[in-house]
Amino acid sequence: NRCVNLMLENLNPEQLNAVQTTDGPLLVLSGAGTGKTRVLTTRIAYILNQHLANPWQVLALTFTNKAANEMKTRLADLSNGAWYSGDVWCGTFHSICLRILRANALRCGLRSDFIIYGEDEQKAVIKSLLTASTKTPGDYVEEFSAIKDKGLVALQNKDKLFNAYNAELMRLNAVDFGDIILKVLDLFDKNPDVLLRYQNQFKYILVDEFQDTNNAQMEFLGMLTRDNKNPNICCVGDDDQ
C-alpha cells in the first residue's frame, strides 16, 4: 500500500518505532501537536497492511466525536482500497459502548430501541421523584454522573434517590450518558460469555488522549484485556496534561 509506505517515510524514528511495535502493551507519551493521532492511525494502517488483524478486530477509542471522525477520515485515506476502514471499530468510548449495549440490550434488561436521556429528561425524572430538597435537579444530574463515572462500584451506591432514579429510567426503557459505559461493565461482569466474545474479537486496542480516561473507562479497558498475559493495547497520551 503506497499510502502507508509514504506515511511511514514521513515519521521520525520515535514515531516509526511506535507504529511498528505491534506485539504487547505500548504506552506513547508526547506533548500537544506532536502527531500522536497520526501515529495511532498509521499504526492501525500498518497492522492491517501486515495482515496482523482484520479491520473488525481493531478497536480504536478516543474522547470526542471530532477526534473520532478525524481518525476515521485518516483511516479511509490510508486504506487506499486495501481494506475497508469502516469495519474498524473506531469511535468514542461512549459510541463503542453504545454499540455493544444495543447488541446486548436484552441481557441488560432493556429493549434494543432504548432511548438516551439528555440533561433535560434527566432533570424531569429527578423532579418527579423529589419530595423536599435543598438541591436542584441539575445538582443531582451532576452528582449521579460523577457516581457512574466511578465504574462498577457505582452499582453498590445506597443513595435512595439515585436508586429510584435508575429504576425509573429502566421502567422508561431509557439510559443516561453515564449508563452507556456502566451498563456495559455490568453486562461483562455478569455475562462472561459476552465478555469473552469481545475479548476474542479485539486483537488490537488503541486509545487516544489516554490521560483523559476516568475509572469506568479504565475498567472497560481492564475487562477487555484482563485474561491476556500480553495484550496488544497501545495508549497514547500527554503526560503534561
Side-chain angles (χ1 to χ4, degrees):
N1 184 336
R2 260 192 70 245
C3 284
V4 178
N5 291 337
L6 208 64
M7 278 294 282
L8 293 175
E9 283 168 24
N10 290 328
L11 298 176
N12 67 36
E14 284 82 8
Q15 290 172 329
L16 192 61
N17 191 12
V19 165
Q20 294 182 326
T21 303
T22 54
D23 191 25
L26 178 70
L27 178 62
V28 179
L29 297 174
S30 179
T34 51
K36 291 194 295 289
T37 307
R38 191 173 77 205
V39 164
L40 216 58
T41 46
T42 310
R43 191 171 188 271
I44 294 169
Y46 180 77
I47 286 164
L48 296 177
N49 257 31
Q50 297 292 315
H51 305 292
L52 298 172
N54 292 307
W56 58 88
Q57 293 175 311
V58 176
L59 172 64
L61 296 154
T62 186
F63 285 86
T64 63
N65 290 321
K66 184 174 177 280
N69 290 334
E70 189 184 319
M71 279 171 82
K72 286 174 188 170
T73 304
R74 285 188 187 186
L75 283 175
D77 291 343
L78 283 170
S79 74
N80 205 22
W83 31 268
Y84 178 51
S85 62
D87 282 342
V88 175
W89 280 54
C90 176
T92 62
F93 274 90
H94 284 92
S95 71
I96 294 296
C97 284
L98 182 59
R99 189 171 168 179
I100 294 171
L101 199 54
R102 289 252 182 243
N104 300 278
L106 293 176
R107 294 266 193 121
C108 303
L110 292 160
R111 295 196 310 276
S112 58
D113 62 346
F114 64 82
I115 34 187
I116 301 164
Y117 274 8
E119 207 175 318
D120 289 346
E121 292 97 339
Q122 287 176 268
K123 284 178 185 170
V125 171
I126 291 166
K127 209 169 170 182
S128 73
L129 299 168
L130 273 181
T131 39
S133 174
T134 50
K135 289 194 276 195
T136 69
D139 292 334
Y140 286 110
V141 168
E142 276 183 40
E143 194 179 300
F144 294 172
S145 172
I147 292 170
K148 290 182 181 186
D149 282 349
K150 289 191 170 77
L152 279 177
V153 69
L155 300 174
Q156 268 82 63
N157 197 289
K158 298 285 185 277
D159 183 89
K160 230 159 104 181
L161 182 65
F162 178 72
N163 291 322
Y165 163 76
N166 288 324
E168 183 61 5
L169 287 189
M170 287 296 279
R171 191 186 70 78
L172 295 162
N173 192 42
V175 298
D176 64 22
F177 203 56
D179 282 328
I180 294 172
I181 293 176
L182 186 59
K183 285 198 183 294
V184 169
L185 297 180
D186 194 36
L187 169 77
F188 285 171
D189 190 48
K190 290 180 177 149
N191 303 275
D193 60 313
V194 177
L195 173 59
L196 187 64
R197 195 168 79 231
Y198 289 103
Q199 284 175 333
N200 288 339
Q201 178 181 339
F202 299 129
K203 284 180 76 173
Y204 285 90
I205 299 173
L206 302 95
V207 188
D208 200 11
E209 304 295 352
F210 183 59
Q211 74 279 351
D212 292 338
T213 44
N214 63 28
N215 276 25
Q217 290 156 344
M218 281 299 287
E219 219 165 336
F220 175 67
L221 295 173
M223 283 179 158
L224 286 177
T225 55
R226 188 168 59 198
D227 303 317
N228 191 334
K229 300 263 187 294
N230 194 39
N232 292 321
I233 179 166
C234 168
C235 299
V236 175
D238 181 351
D239 46 339
D240 283 341
Q241 289 187 46

